[in-house]
Amino acid sequence: MLFRSGPANMDDVPPMPFDDDNAGHAKSISKDKLIQPNTMKRLHAVGTELYGDDWNNKRPELVQFITTGAETSASKLSEDEAQRIIKGMNDKIASK
């Protein structure tokens, strides 16, 4: 019997279980579904409010989390992913 160290291709990778609807990042997001300029401004405003000077360090971590490791740049987020990050940060601000 031959053993492989991993899946032969990405089609063989089972879906990752998540407690929420964070099922992953689309391989390619159509331009109309990418984060919109006003949402990007809001993302930065809320991020700066919550994290202050540490926002530039925290932002890639949040992007990586919401895209399940697929991206680190906020400019690659979908509108929905960006809105979910903003909601999470607003919830954190509200709970302070």
Side-chain angles (χ1 to χ4, degrees):
M1 175 182 259
L2 295 176
F3 293 96
R4 294 192 304 224
S5 62
N9 62 50
M10 290 306 291
D11 293 332
D12 295 336
V13 176
M16 298 294 293
F18 292 97
D19 293 334
D20 59 12
D21 63 352
N22 186 17
H25 185 72
K27 288 181 181 173
S28 65
I29 299 171
S30 65
K31 191 170 185 161
D32 63 322
K33 299 211 184 221
L34 279 173
I35 185 171
Q36 298 298 302
N38 285 340
T39 305
M40 181 69 86
K41 288 177 189 174
R42 183 76 181 134
L43 178 75
H44 288 299
V46 175
T48 300
E49 179 182 348
L50 180 60
Y51 295 105
D53 291 338
D54 199 37
W55 172 234
N56 286 334
N57 296 320
K58 189 65 175 174
R59 184 175 58 249
E61 293 174 26
L62 294 172
V63 171
Q64 204 167 24
F65 173 79
I66 206 78
T67 64
T68 61
E71 301 292 345
T72 57
S73 173
S75 66
K76 302 288 186 174
L77 289 170
S78 70
E79 179 70 14
D80 179 63
E81 290 165 335
Q83 292 291 349
R84 288 173 29 212
I85 292 174
I86 292 167
K87 181 186 180 318
M89 291 190 300
N90 278 329
D91 289 349
K92 194 167 186 175
I93 289 168
S95 70
K96 282 187 169 186

